[in-house]
Amino acid sequence: MVNTWAGWRRRRWWGERATAAVPEVQAVGDVAAEVAVRVTVQGALRSLTARQRAVLVLRVFDDLSEAQVAQVLDCAVGTVNATMAHAMARLREDPRLAGLMDRETQ
């Protein structure tokens, strides 16, 4: 018993220590709901063609201009605009995302 107690005392970390102020921790949300949203959005994005996904990612997530996207994809600016319009139309019509938006507004 003494050896076990002494071994515990020799450890560097003894566990939690009391502090004067409790640090603010973000409340953990519903992880299952967050995963469901991610899976839904990924499924909707998979329904797009590779070019539509590329244009969408470059325009929305990388915040590139139409000219920069056209240069990256080696196509005309008009093609970028048309592809973006088709991708957005397809996403607007996706029933999975419509159901997701209905859930978010409630």
Side-chain angles (χ1 to χ4, degrees):
M1 279 296 229
V2 173
N3 288 338
T4 302
W5 176 82
W8 287 345
R9 296 294 287 171
R10 280 192 294 259
R11 289 188 330 168
R12 290 185 189 179
W13 184 72
W14 292 351
E16 295 180 6
R17 296 195 178 156
T19 61
V22 177
E24 291 193 29
V25 178
Q26 288 183 339
V28 178
D30 187 6
V31 176
E34 291 176 15
V35 170
V37 168
R38 279 193 211 123
V39 168
T40 301
V41 171
Q42 287 174 349
L45 291 175
R46 278 192 208 104
S47 71
L48 301 175
T49 65
R51 182 178 286 261
Q52 287 174 339
R53 277 194 308 272
V55 168
L56 187 72
V57 166
L58 291 171
R59 286 285 294 137
V60 176
F61 295 107
D62 290 342
D63 198 27
L64 298 180
S65 67
E66 290 95 356
Q68 291 170 323
V69 173
Q71 184 179 12
V72 169
L73 297 178
D74 194 29
C75 63
V77 174
T79 303
V80 170
N81 289 332
T83 304
M84 184 69 171
H86 290 278
M88 293 303 294
R90 186 179 252 177
L91 290 176
R92 280 188 205 104
E93 295 170 357
D94 194 315
R96 294 171 290 194
L97 293 179
L100 180 66
M101 292 307 292
D102 292 341
R103 261 193 328 200
E104 291 291 322
T105 57
Q106 292 177 357

